[in-house]
Amino acid sequence: MLKLNIQKDPYWITLPANVKVKVKPLGSAVMNLAQHQTIQHLIEMQKDRKQRMAGGEDVSSFPDMENHAVRSSFSETLLTRALATIAIVEWEGVMQSEKDEPAELNEQNILQLMDIWYVADSFWKQYTKSVEILESEGNASGLAANGISAAGQNTAASA
């Protein structure tokens, strides 16, 4: 069984360093857009690296997207950043670097906030928690532990 009690209104998440962000609910539209942006960004990074390599340029500052570990790490980072830029609609506790004034809420500042690894990690865990809760609820027939008949007794009559 899956309960359809998905958050419909923006809500607050408390992040490290006394930062609070108000986010749009995580639904299909938000996740699909973030995934699309992430894929496009990865493709562009890979394309740019290959073009520079073909031109004989130094590519040591470009991540090697052919390497699975590098690609996976960058995918996670880019997805978190994309979700943050799409979802965050308000914040508190984010200050300008040169003044003791609140930082403007804009894409560049959101990306800077997500460059702080422990803030990004906390954002990811808290923002996607609602999805994890839905997944853990599962549905009436969960995955069988060891094949189709190992998890429980038959409920259907013989044919």
Side-chain angles (χ1 to χ4, degrees), residues 41-42 45-50 53 59-67 70-71 73-74 78:
H41 197 131
L42 288 169
M45 289 172 68
Q46 187 174 28
K47 185 173 149 184
D48 195 19
R49 183 176 188 274
K50 284 182 179 180
M53 282 177 63
V59 293
S60 60
S61 63
F62 284 82
D64 179 7
M65 291 301 159
E66 302 298 324
N67 180 311
V70 170
R71 187 175 57 251
S73 298
F74 269 89
L78 293 173

Side-chain angles (χ1 to χ4, degrees), residues 79-96:
L79 183 57
T80 300
R81 291 167 55 110
L83 282 171
T85 59
I86 294 165
I88 296 174
V89 295
E90 192 175 335
W91 63 15
E92 295 176 2
V94 181
M95 308 303 281
Q96 294 180 21

